[in-house]
């Protein structure tokens, strides 16, 4: 049972094997830019959540490694459990630096010195944090009294000294990192550091990470590539510093060059997801070609709605999860009305009031019919889908026994016979009438109640990322 696609693998053997969004050329161009750009520099790869930034960064990272460049990939989201972002970041750097510097004694010594300086930076504020963490476990009044006297003493003796030591530690840290990156004859070898998924972290963690590593951003040889949704990250900044804070200006302090991720080609990605979710398996049956047609109709309507509504890649994936969930509740050889099912799934999320009204047997279908052209966007190639959904709305209400359905059919028949109307309008009306007749004449009828129940069921599941 697949309700979620596998993570897209990026292997060194064939970096672009799973490049379903056709971004190979863009990755190649940016690789050349990063190789030739002067350091230090911080470049951001900006795109909304769910646009494929992680896969793009992994391909970029792998492409640089393939060209024997020193490159480190760091997922901020996977480490936001850490108390101090700098600790997680330096830990990740430490795992990779040893392989970069090999047996070079001078560079190994410089790295050891850098780690010691980094440890001192990390110790700043730890005693206070520990004391705060113990509140509630011991006598609170005693803590307040003792800490008040200790604080006064610390302010007079230690604070200025600790500040000086921390400032020196930062300088020492940067000097030793520079030694690690230095090359004979002067200059520095580039080290590419990719920081991914900042926009998925806790707001405080993302901001702390940026502020803690800002001392690294101006060391010759370092090239930082940050993947983020600038709009979302700006909201996180405001959540910490206040609604009136200049979040965009704040982020510009860390970023030298902004790169907007190119738009993805959605159609091949939909084909990839159909394979990943194994949707075709449901339509493997003994009822002949109609099953194949049903599957093609399903994929077709997904493409039309996804493209017309400019759905993000993540939203498309969540739509597939919901469709798969529904198919798992339907017995094989039972017709699923694919176009109507996908249409209702989208309407439920985008137009909940209209969906709720339609699901009531006593209501008419005017609101839903009005939504057809808003949801199914396109020219002649989408006309059949629109006609099919229009007919199913009428057929569903016809089985509910409402007079509205009879009036709709009467109006459509008059339109189809009206010689004063355009040929397109007459043909459209006639086709809808024929489809209504086809659906209402089927012995089993339209299982609207079951369909609504299954669609409503998807609301009880969480399809967001882990």
């Amino acid at each position: 049972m697949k309700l979620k696609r596998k993570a897209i693998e990026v292997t060194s053997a064939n970096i672009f094997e799973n490049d379903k969004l056709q971004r190979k050329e863009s990755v190649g161009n940016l690789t050349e830019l990063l190789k030739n750009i002067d350091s230090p520099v911080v470049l951001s790869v900006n795109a909304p959540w769910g646009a494929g930034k992680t896969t793009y960064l992994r391909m970029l990272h792998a492409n640089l490694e393939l060209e024997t460049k020193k490159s480190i990939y760091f997922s901020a989201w996977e480490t936001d459990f850490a108390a101090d972002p700098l600790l997680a970041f330096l830990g990740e750097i430490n795992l990779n630096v040893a392989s970069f510097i090999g047996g070079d004694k001078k560079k190994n010594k410089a790295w050891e010195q850098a780690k010691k300086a980094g440890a001192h930076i990390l110790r700043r504020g730890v005693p206070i944090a520990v004391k705060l963490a113990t509140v509630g476990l011991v006598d609170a009044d005693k803590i307040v009294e003792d800490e008040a006297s200790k604080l006064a003493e610390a302010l007079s003796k230690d604070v200025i000294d600790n500040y000086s030591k921390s400032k020196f530690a930062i300088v020492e840290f940067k000097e030793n990192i520079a030694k690690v990156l230095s090359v004979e004859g002067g200059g520095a070898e580039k080290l590419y550091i990719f920081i991914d998924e900042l926009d998925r972290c806790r707001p405080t963690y993302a901001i702390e990470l940026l502020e803690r590593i800002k001392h690294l951003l101006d060391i010759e040889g370092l090239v930082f590539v940050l993947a983020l949704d600038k709009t979302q990250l700006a909201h996180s900044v405001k959540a910490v510093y206040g609604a009136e804070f200049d979040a965009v200006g704040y982020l510009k302090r860390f970023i030298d060059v902004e790169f907007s991720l190119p738009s993805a080609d959605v159609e091949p990605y939909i084909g990839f997801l159909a394979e990943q979710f194994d949707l075709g398996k449901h339509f493997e049956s003994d009822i002949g070609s109609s099953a194949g047609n049903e599957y093609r109709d399903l994929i077709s309507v997904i493409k039309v709605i996804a493209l017309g509504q400019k759905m993000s890649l993540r939203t498309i994936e969540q739509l597939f999860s919901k469709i798969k969930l529904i198919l798992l509740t339907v017995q094989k050889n039972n017709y699923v009305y694919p176009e109507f099912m996908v249409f209702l799934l989208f309407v439920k999320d985008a137009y909940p009031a209209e969906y709720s009204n339609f699901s009531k047997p006593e209501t008419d279908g005017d609101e839903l019919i009005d939504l057809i052209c808003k949801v199914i966007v396109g020219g002649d190639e989408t006309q059949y889908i629109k006609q099919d959904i229009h007919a199913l709305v009428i057929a569903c209400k016809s089985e509910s026994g409402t007079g509205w359905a009879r009036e709709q059919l009467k109006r459509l028949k008059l339109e189809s016979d009206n010689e004063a109307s355009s040929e397109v309008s007459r043909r459209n009306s006639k086709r809808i009438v024929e489809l209504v007749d086809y659906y209402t004449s089927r012995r089993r009828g339209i299982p609207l109640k079951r369909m609504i129940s299954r669609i409503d069921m998807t609301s009880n599941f969480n399809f967001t990322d882990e």
Side-chain angles (χ1 to χ4, degrees):
M1 181 180 76
K2 296 180 181 178
L3 286 177
K4 185 176 180 179
R5 68 160 174 83
K6 295 179 182 177
I8 296 176
E9 293 185 25
V10 178
T11 64
S12 56
N14 189 345
I15 295 170
F16 302 103
E17 180 181 7
N18 297 314
D19 178 23
K20 304 304 178 182
L21 303 179
Q22 300 181 0
R23 285 173 167 163
K24 180 179 179 179
E25 184 177 353
S26 176
V27 169
N29 291 337
L30 199 55
T31 299
E32 290 302 313
L33 172 67
L34 291 175
K35 284 161 54 180
N36 295 314
I37 200 168
D38 289 335
S39 67
V41 67
V42 180
L43 180 143
S44 69
V45 176
N46 184 45
W49 183 79
K53 294 191 294 295
T54 292
T55 301
Y56 189 89
L57 240 66
R58 288 191 180 278
M59 291 191 295
L60 193 57
H61 165 62
N63 210 34
L64 284 164
E65 285 191 320
L66 193 64
E67 299 195 21
T68 67
K69 303 300 180 184
K70 293 178 172 57
S71 181
I72 297 172
Y73 177 89
F74 175 76
S75 173
W77 183 67
E78 289 178 3
T79 62
D80 79 345
F81 60 85
D84 190 323
L86 185 60
L87 176 62
F89 178 77
L90 291 179
E92 194 68 31
I93 300 295
N94 188 48
L95 292 173
N96 291 273
V97 164
S99 63
F100 292 160
I101 60 182
D104 190 311
K105 292 182 179 179
K106 288 184 178 180
K107 291 190 176 185
N108 273 292
K109 182 179 179 181
W111 177 240
E112 289 302 318
Q113 291 298 321
K115 285 195 290 184
K116 287 180 181 179
H120 181 84
I121 298 169
L122 285 169
R123 282 197 298 270
R124 287 189 304 165
V126 170
I128 294 174
V130 171
K131 290 171 186 175
L132 290 173
T134 62
V135 174
L137 301 178
V138 292
D139 189 334
D141 292 334
K142 178 66 174 166
I143 286 176
V144 172
E145 182 181 343
D146 290 349
E147 291 305 318
S149 60
K150 289 178 183 178
L151 179 59
E153 183 180 355
L155 285 173
S156 62
K157 292 182 178 180
D158 298 330
V159 172
I160 295 175
D161 185 47
N162 282 338
Y163 170 78
S164 299
K165 288 179 180 178
S166 296
K167 188 175 180 180
F168 175 77
I170 291 169
V171 172
E172 185 180 13
F173 182 79
K174 292 171 69 172
E175 287 177 347
N176 282 287
I177 291 291
K179 289 178 183 178
V180 171
L181 298 176
S182 65
V183 294
E184 289 186 15
E189 184 178 16
K190 284 181 181 174
L191 172 60
Y192 301 91
I193 301 177
F194 293 86
I195 301 180
D196 192 15
E197 301 190 300
L198 277 167
D199 46 0
R200 290 183 66 191
C201 297
R202 291 180 285 111
T204 53
Y205 187 87
I207 294 165
E208 286 172 11
L209 178 59
L210 285 174
E211 293 186 343
R212 294 286 261 156
I213 67 171
K214 69 182 177 183
H215 305 296
L216 286 168
L217 301 180
D218 60 347
I219 300 174
E220 186 181 0
L222 288 184
V223 177
F224 282 86
V225 182
L226 314 178
L228 50 86
D229 177 347
K230 189 170 71 172
T231 302
Q232 182 59 43
L233 194 54
H235 288 315
S236 296
V237 172
K238 288 188 176 184
V240 174
Y241 289 115
E244 302 303 317
F245 186 74
D246 181 11
V248 174
Y250 168 85
L251 293 175
K252 285 182 178 179
R253 292 167 48 197
F254 303 99
I255 298 167
D256 300 311
V257 182
E258 290 186 18
F259 172 75
S260 296
L261 197 64
S263 299
D265 188 347
V266 169
E267 288 202 43
Y269 185 66
I270 289 173
F272 164 72
L273 287 178
E275 293 177 6
Q276 286 281 300
F277 282 89
D278 204 12
L279 294 189
K281 187 175 183 180
H282 175 82
F283 300 96
E284 294 173 356
S285 63
D286 299 324
I287 60 176
S289 61
S290 62
N293 292 337
E294 197 175 2
Y295 178 65
R296 284 192 295 273
D297 288 344
L298 175 66
I299 302 304
S300 177
V301 72
I302 292 172
K303 287 181 179 179
V304 167
I305 293 179
L307 289 167
Q309 300 302 318
K310 296 180 173 58
M311 293 169 67
S312 73
L313 303 181
R314 201 63 52 87
T315 304
I316 295 171
E317 184 180 337
Q318 290 170 359
L319 176 61
F320 267 89
S321 293
K322 293 175 182 179
I323 292 168
K324 181 67 175 183
L325 182 64
I326 291 173
L327 292 180
L328 289 171
T329 68
V330 179
Q331 292 183 353
K332 283 191 174 183
N333 298 335
N334 281 3
Y335 193 70
V336 296
Y337 303 88
E339 291 152 323
F340 199 40
M341 174 183 66
V342 177
F343 174 75
L344 288 176
L345 273 170
F346 179 83
V347 168
K348 183 178 185 300
D349 289 336
Y351 303 95
E354 289 84 346
Y355 171 84
S356 178
N357 287 338
F358 175 75
S359 65
K360 300 170 184 175
E362 68 277 9
T363 59
D364 62 40
D366 284 332
E367 288 182 332
L368 218 61
I369 287 174
D370 289 341
L371 289 176
I372 292 174
C373 288
K374 292 182 180 179
V375 175
I376 309 299
V377 180
D380 294 339
E381 71 279 4
T382 66
Q383 197 59 31
Y384 180 81
I385 297 174
K386 293 175 184 176
Q387 292 168 349
D388 195 49
I389 295 171
H390 192 149
L392 280 163
V393 171
I394 296 173
C396 288
K397 291 304 176 181
S398 178
E399 293 196 1
S400 299
T402 64
W404 174 86
R406 290 191 297 274
E407 288 299 316
Q408 285 288 306
L409 275 175
K410 181 179 178 181
R411 184 186 63 77
L412 287 165
K413 287 175 181 177
L414 287 173
E415 180 68 18
S416 67
D417 295 332
N418 186 357
E419 295 184 359
S421 298
S422 68
E423 180 63 26
V424 172
S425 179
R426 291 169 62 190
R427 190 165 57 245
N428 182 66
S429 297
K430 183 179 180 181
R431 178 63 177 159
I432 294 171
V433 170
E434 289 173 349
L435 285 168
V436 172
D437 183 62
Y438 170 74
Y439 287 126
T440 55
S441 65
R442 305 186 89 182
R443 290 181 181 178
R444 55 193 171 194
I446 312 297
L448 178 64
K449 187 175 179 179
R450 288 201 302 274
M451 188 181 297
I452 292 293
S453 174
R454 286 165 177 152
I455 290 171
D456 287 346
M457 176 188 65
T458 63
S459 298
N460 298 325
F461 290 82
N462 181 10
F463 295 99
T464 59
D465 268 10
E466 300 162 357

